[in-house]
């Protein structure tokens, strides 16, 4: 393939280290390895200080699943397909991944996009056409030839694409860039096309890959960015390791904090020395699991994709790892919600967590990973609604009976009461037969009575006026179902209202 690429994979034996190569954005073959992230483990991990762990809870899994074949691939002529990021967005699943289209200049790695109604695909471009190249090299910049390893989230209507970029030959090293979009298809590079994370240069190693393979989660106003840096001081002998920074700025230009031995601490920039790796791996993915109140890191090990858990501060591992079994030849993409959170089980939201991944499974004719397939398990026996905070996060969009013979709907961490069951059912992703007891402690944030006044403004749609606040409603049908009278208003009047949550 033109431009070439680096690839690192590995297998852990009882006392033998088998070394293979890392999926990056450029180069040829270089020995590297993956590991399970334990002290003294594979990949040269020297072992981080392990704080006392108040819990080390074993988890059980069931409902193992795998697609019958390939679920996503580029059009004919795309020699490889790997490094996916997967967004479960309502009734469709959206995937961006690394490939190469001869028709997309310049020659080098491209990021493709496809969508489907289900994780088992097939993933196609918009309208059912072949997947489209949505980001390619930007000549004259750090990502002049290669764009690869996407991680996509959506926050407040803006899509953020974090990716690995390389100017040319692998020896020049990789850095991490950012692009933004309103639809997830047409992208604009941020910060003038400059990288937001460059190699730290703490240590010189034979592996000159640099910084890349980002994974991003948005949680409580923070953007958490996990990535590979083979020049990081805490990486293994072969460059294996995953580092973390966070900021409330999606471009990580201000307010950056870096994860070290004592947790997150403020640093001048993302160029800070890499003093702590959270898992001894390449090409990993990250998500937040509300039902477990924990981060989950997916990384490849001998038996499949290992899921390693950390508490919110990354100071201890509250659960023992679980494994999604099956073949792999490159790092996984976790199926996540738009902000990078784990999807919620519709069948059992409080007691079960679905963990689904897409990953490349074979080495193709181009001597690179391809054949993206879907694998998954359910984590069972979870106490996902044990606290008010967890219940409100897990049950977002769920409706249930209220204590006063009406219906309650969880909306963006708030409890909203509806007089009309039909309205709550229309807005809910699912209606639970039984109320979750812990929600009895949550105050009602708004009461939607029959006939609650509604307004409509050009370009903004309709909304209900609840206690003087405007609650936008996605469909005029809901307003009609509630028996509300709609008053036309101007856009200025709409913007003048204090805003409530969107229903």
């Amino acid at each position: 393939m033109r431009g070439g690429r680096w690839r690192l994979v590995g297998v852990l034996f009882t006392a033998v280290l088998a070394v293979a190569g890392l999926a990056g954005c450029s180069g040829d073959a270089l020995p590297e390895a993956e590991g399970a992230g334990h002290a003294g483990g594979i990949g040269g991990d020297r072992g981080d200080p392990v704080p006392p762990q108040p819990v080390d809870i074993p988890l059980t899994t069931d409902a193992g699943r795998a697609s019958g074949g390939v679920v996503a691939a580029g059009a004919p002529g795309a020699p490889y397909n790997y490094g996916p990021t997967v967004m479960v967005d309502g009734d469709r699943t959206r995937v961006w991944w690394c490939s190469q289209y001869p028709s997309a200049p310049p020659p080098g790695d491209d990021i493709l996009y496809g969508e489907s109604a289900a994780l088992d695909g097939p993933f196609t471009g918009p309208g059912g056409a072949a997947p489209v190249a949505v980001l390619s090299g930007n000549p004259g910049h750090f990502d002049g030839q290669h764009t690869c390893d996407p991680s996509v989230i959506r926050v407040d209507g803006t899509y953020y694409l974090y990716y690995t970029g390389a100017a040319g030959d692998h020896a020049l090293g990789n850095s991490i860039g950012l692009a933004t979009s309103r639809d997830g298809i047409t992208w604009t590079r941020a910060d003038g096309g400059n990288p937001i994370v460059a190699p730290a240069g703490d240590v010189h190693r034979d592996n000159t890959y640099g910084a890349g393979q980002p994974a991003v989660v948005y949680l409580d106003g923070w953007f958490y960015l996990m990535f590979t840096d083979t020049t990081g001081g805490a990486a293994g002998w072969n460059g294996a390791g995953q580092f973390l920074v966070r900021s409330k700025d999606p471009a990580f230009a201000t307010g950056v904090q870096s994860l070290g031995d004592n947790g997150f601490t403020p640093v001048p920039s993302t160029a800070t020395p890499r003093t702590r790796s959270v898992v001894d791996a390449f090409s990993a993915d990250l998500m937040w699991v509300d039902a477990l109140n924990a981060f989950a890191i997916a990384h490849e090990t001998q038996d499949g994709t290992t899921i390693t858990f950390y508490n919110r501060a990354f100071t201890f591992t509250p659960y023992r790892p679980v494994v999604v079994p099956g073949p792999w030849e490159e790092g996984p993409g976790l199926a996540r919600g738009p902000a990078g959170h784990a999807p919620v089980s519709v069948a059992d939201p409080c007691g079960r967590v679905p963990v689904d991944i897409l990953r490349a499974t074979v080495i193709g004719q181009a001597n690179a990973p391809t054949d993206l397939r879907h694998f998954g398990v359910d984590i069972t026996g979870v106490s996902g609604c044990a606290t008010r905070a967890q219940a409100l996060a897990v049950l977002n969009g769920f409706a249930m009976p209220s204590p006063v013979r009406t219906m309650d709907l969880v909306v963006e961490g708030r409890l909203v009461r509806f007089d009309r069951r039909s309205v709550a059912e229309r807005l809910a992703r699912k209606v639970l037969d039984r109320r979750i007891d812990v929600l009895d402690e949550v105050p009602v944030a708004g009461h939607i009575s029959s006939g609650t006044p509604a307004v409509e403004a050009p370009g903004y749609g309709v909304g209900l006026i609840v206690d003087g606040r405007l609650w936008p409603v996605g469909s005029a049908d809901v307003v009609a179902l509630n028996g509300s009278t709609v008053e036309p208003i101007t856009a200025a009047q709409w913007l003048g209202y204090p805003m409530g949550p969107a229903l």
Side-chain angles (χ1 to χ4, degrees):
M1 79 205 62
R2 292 173 296 180
R5 52 187 292 286
W6 292 94
R7 182 173 174 279
L8 300 143
V9 294
V11 179
L12 177 62
F13 295 98
T14 304
V16 179
L17 177 65
V19 184
L22 160 78
C25 282
S26 55
D28 297 311
L30 179 71
E32 301 187 359
E34 294 256 9
H38 301 294
I42 191 168
D45 186 353
R46 294 170 305 209
D48 297 320
V50 179
Q53 298 183 9
V55 291
D56 186 22
I57 299 173
L59 296 170
T60 57
T61 63
D62 67 9
R65 49 196 174 268
S67 60
V70 174
V71 300
Y80 46 85
N81 300 273
Y82 69 93
T85 182
V86 185
M87 180 185 293
V88 178
D89 189 9
D91 58 0
R92 69 174 169 168
T93 300
R94 314 183 71 182
V95 179
W96 297 258
W97 70 94
C98 187
S99 188
Q100 184 183 117
Y101 273 170
S103 59
D109 292 340
D110 306 307
I111 292 174
L112 305 190
Y113 168 77
E115 57 189 48
S116 175
L119 279 164
D120 281 344
F123 288 89
T124 65
V132 292
V134 296
L135 194 71
S136 300
N138 188 21
H141 293 76
F142 85 97
D143 55 354
Q145 190 169 351
H146 301 283
T147 56
C148 193
D149 306 317
S151 182
V152 178
I153 59 173
R154 187 179 70 232
V155 178
D156 295 333
T158 297
Y159 291 82
Y160 297 93
L161 165 60
Y162 298 82
Y163 65 95
T164 308
D169 184 80
H170 173 78
L172 300 175
N174 298 301
S175 296
I176 296 171
L178 169 64
T180 62
S181 173
R182 299 302 295 181
D183 60 8
I185 298 173
T186 302
W187 296 92
T188 301
R189 284 172 166 83
D191 195 25
N194 295 311
I196 64 168
V197 178
D202 300 338
V203 179
H204 174 74
R205 294 186 173 91
D206 291 340
N207 180 0
T208 58
Y209 173 86
Q213 299 178 327
V216 180
V217 167
Y218 182 75
L219 176 65
D220 295 336
W222 291 92
F223 291 82
Y224 288 79
L225 172 59
M226 186 179 74
F227 56 95
T228 299
D229 187 350
T230 62
T231 73
W237 61 269
N238 59 355
Q242 293 294 307
F243 303 97
L244 271 157
V245 292
R246 70 178 186 179
S247 174
K248 295 185 177 181
D249 173 10
F252 289 84
T254 61
V256 178
Q257 296 185 0
S258 178
L259 181 65
D261 291 339
N262 298 315
F264 285 100
T265 57
V267 293
S269 72
T270 59
T272 181
R274 319 290 185 213
T275 61
R276 181 184 170 203
S277 169
V278 291
V279 67
D280 185 22
F282 296 101
S283 192
D285 203 3
L286 178 71
M287 72 178 176
W288 173 256
V289 186
D290 289 295
L292 295 174
N293 196 34
F295 282 101
I297 300 174
H299 54 106
E300 306 298 13
T301 54
Q302 179 177 349
D303 297 324
T305 300
T306 292
I307 312 296
T308 296
F309 300 94
Y310 275 97
N311 68 322
R312 186 181 296 256
F314 286 90
T315 53
F316 63 87
T317 54
Y319 306 98
R320 297 176 189 173
V322 299
V323 175
V324 182
W328 60 269
E329 289 292 346
E330 181 51 41
L334 287 160
R336 314 181 305 169
H341 295 210
V344 175
S345 168
V346 175
D348 185 5
C350 297
R352 183 174 289 266
V353 175
V355 177
D356 290 276
I357 60 173
L358 266 59
R359 63 188 181 214
T361 54
V362 303
I363 300 299
Q365 293 181 352
N367 195 32
T370 193
D371 284 11
L372 290 167
R373 293 177 55 195
H374 164 222
F375 301 86
V377 298
D378 280 5
I379 298 173
T380 60
V382 174
S383 298
C385 297
T387 67
R388 286 182 295 174
Q390 276 184 282
L392 288 170
V394 169
L395 296 173
N396 187 49
F398 284 77
M400 66 204 74
S402 82
V404 290
R405 304 178 68 84
T406 55
M407 292 295 291
D408 285 347
L409 176 69
V410 180
V411 181
E412 298 180 9
R414 301 172 177 88
L415 201 63
V416 183
R417 187 151 293 168
F418 291 81
D419 282 353
R420 294 194 177 186
R421 180 186 178 96
S422 60
V423 178
E425 289 178 339
R426 177 69 172 78
L427 292 169
R429 61 181 302 192
K430 184 178 180 180
V431 178
L432 302 179
D433 295 330
R434 184 181 63 83
R435 183 174 181 80
I436 305 302
D437 293 340
V438 72
L439 294 182
D440 291 342
E441 307 169 16
V442 179
V444 175
H447 187 171
I448 311 296
S449 59
S450 299
T452 292
V455 296
E456 182 175 15
Y460 289 93
V462 295
L464 295 168
I465 304 300
V466 182
D467 297 328
R469 302 178 72 85
L470 193 159
W471 294 36
V473 178
S475 170
D477 294 344
V478 173
V479 173
L481 196 61
N482 195 56
S484 299
T485 300
V486 181
E487 175 190 357
I489 62 173
T490 66
Q493 288 174 307
W494 177 284
L495 295 173
Y497 275 103
M499 299 301 292
L503 295 172

